[in-house]
Amino acid sequence: MGQAMTDAPAPPLKLFNSLTRRLEIFEPVHPGVPGDPANPPEARVYSCGPTVYNYPHIGNMRAYVFADTLGRTLSFKGYKLTHVINITDVGHLTDDADAGEDKLEKAAAEKAQSIWDIARHYTEAYWADVKALNIRQPAHWSIATDYVPQMIEFAKAIADKHCYELDSGLYFDTSTVADYGRLARHATDEGESRIDPVDGKRHPADFAIWRKTPSGEKRQMEWDSPWGKGAPGWHLECSVMSEALLGFPFDIHTGGIDHREIHHPNEIAQNQAHSCSADSGARIWMHNNFLVERSGKMSKSSGEFLRVQLLIDKGYHPLAYRLMCLQAHYRSELEFSWEGLGAALTRLKRMVMGVASARQVTDKNPHGNVPDDIREGFDREISNDLGTPAALAIMEVMLGRSDLGSVRLSLLEEMDQIFGLDLLKLTRADLRIRPKAATITEAEIEAILIRRKEARAAKDFATSDKLRDELIAAGVEVMDGDPLGWDWRLEA
Ligand SMILES: [Zn+2]
């Protein structure tokens, strides 16, 4: 696809590797056979997925918009993509290190439900968010509990040289591998200070790869192992599933920046132990930054949990949140506010209106001149560590150029393969703010507006004002003279 966009050689894809802390040109593990369409270069990507004990927060979903943007970029650049996202349904403690309880067991106890039902319920909720945000389906959703036998085999293979057994489980000795924690920024201070001590651990950073069920207890999820009944550790799951589905090593491992300090260093330590090498398991490790909410107003005071469904209930199209993610570079913090979401929605509306006006052009030259700089500029920005903010701006400038005629639509289609904003399908009506709590229907609003227009035409301003007040009382803001041509909107 990248090659199709321009005759000039496509710029190489550069990605920021958290492991080396610099931009690197992407060199696939499986480069294919140049010039042979049956053997394209491959990109194999593993993304740490959700622990399905609760609804995903929109901040969690930023990680999957990022991983999806990476996957779309790799497809755009001509790589055959194999993407894996795991579902952690066992083994993730309430603390990333070894303290706390299993998140799923805890949720099951609190809700007095079967742990399997809870996992299914929240997996489906996560998949609904994936769909709402137009995140492409990965090649595999790997479910942790499907891989327990392989996890036990992996642990057996490294147990003698790299692990020691305590009453609570089988622990990985982090001093047995070279450069433990090289991925983390502060492995010795910040990282370790967050780890609660477990009796008998040789080093604070050592971690459980198998957790034994305490004697006298019965867990809903437990398996037999050489170390007794128990469950795999969360870190072990990702090492095992990534290798099982993508081989060793594979190309790119992604996750939220919080995984850079404990989870991913521990995966790397296991991978080094299992491969008897210094190989981290992935050529490039990529991390998206946090979503922050400085006002502190949203989730706490109102008791509202900030998830995609809440945005939808308040009337926002979920792709406005996707655009909000793309407006920031994935390595920058993204600040969330309702005003910011509203601004992203307005920007999305402008794009959709740009598409509508490009559609009205009836030139007979749909494959007309496209200045090379548009395509090249776009490819260059997106190839520069997924420069979505600049690439979005290039697309908008392109849409506004009436001299390009209807060729804008085919350019837009190519560019939107990266953004995933569905710009050729979205309509103005799709993007109206429509709060779930609204008591008035769109047909009712439109009917009142027609009567108001008639009253104004007849200079009956008393009736026109009365109708406007009626709309305001129902939460409808009448937008006379709105530059985007929106006649009204419902208050969120
Ligand atoms: Zn993981």
Side-chain angles (χ1 to χ4, degrees), residues 46-49 86 88 234-239 241 253-255 259 263-264 267 285:
Y46 184 90
S47 300
C48 285
N86 74 291
T88 295
W234 173 43
H235 316 303
L236 180 63
E237 298 174 2
C238 286
S239 283
M241 292 188 287
H253 195 311
T254 80
H259 292 341
H263 181 49
H264 289 170
E267 273 187 56
W285 293 75

Side-chain angles (χ1 to χ4, degrees), residues 455 459-469:
K459 303 215 182 307
D460 177 0
F461 295 112
T463 303
S464 139
D465 287 351
K466 194 177 134 268
L467 291 168
R468 185 186 181 111
D469 290 345

Side-chain angles (χ1 to χ4, degrees), residues 114-221:
S114 143
I115 203 162
W116 302 96
D117 289 344
I118 287 184
R120 194 177 313 116
H121 175 79
Y122 291 115
T123 300
E124 277 166 13
Y126 165 71
W127 282 339
D129 287 358
V130 162
K131 187 159 184 266
L133 294 173
N134 206 22
I135 291 166
R136 296 197 304 187
Q137 290 285 317
H140 307 277
W141 294 107
S142 60
I143 313 283
T145 48
D146 289 344
Y147 290 82
V148 176
Q150 291 96 313
M151 292 170 196
I152 292 171
E153 286 310 308
F154 188 113
K156 274 160 70 176
I158 63 172
D160 287 349
K161 274 179 83 176
H162 298 278
C163 303
Y164 54 92
E165 202 173 336
L166 299 176
D167 287 346
S168 53
L170 183 68
Y171 285 79
F172 189 97
D173 182 338
T174 50
S175 71
T176 63
V177 290
D179 278 343
Y180 171 76
R182 66 190 194 272
L183 179 70
R185 296 298 155 124
H186 308 286
T188 46
D189 28 279
E190 189 188 313
E192 290 188 1
S193 67
R194 286 178 47 200
I195 298 176
D196 284 347
V198 170
D199 280 348
K201 274 208 311 196
R202 291 180 190 165
H203 313 94
D206 292 355
F207 56 92
I209 66 171
W210 186 265
R211 288 179 309 105
K212 297 181 195 173
T213 304
S215 58
E217 268 182 40
K218 169 128 185 72
R219 287 191 183 141
Q220 288 193 46
M221 278 186 181

Side-chain angles (χ1 to χ4, degrees), residues 346 349 432 449 452 468 476-490:
T346 300
K349 285 175 181 172
R432 270 200 200 289
L449 282 172
R452 177 169 172 265
R468 185 186 181 111
V476 180
E477 184 190 344
V478 180
M479 301 164 76
D480 292 329
D482 174 52
L484 290 181
W486 293 84
D487 302 322
W488 56 269
R489 65 170 199 167
L490 272 161

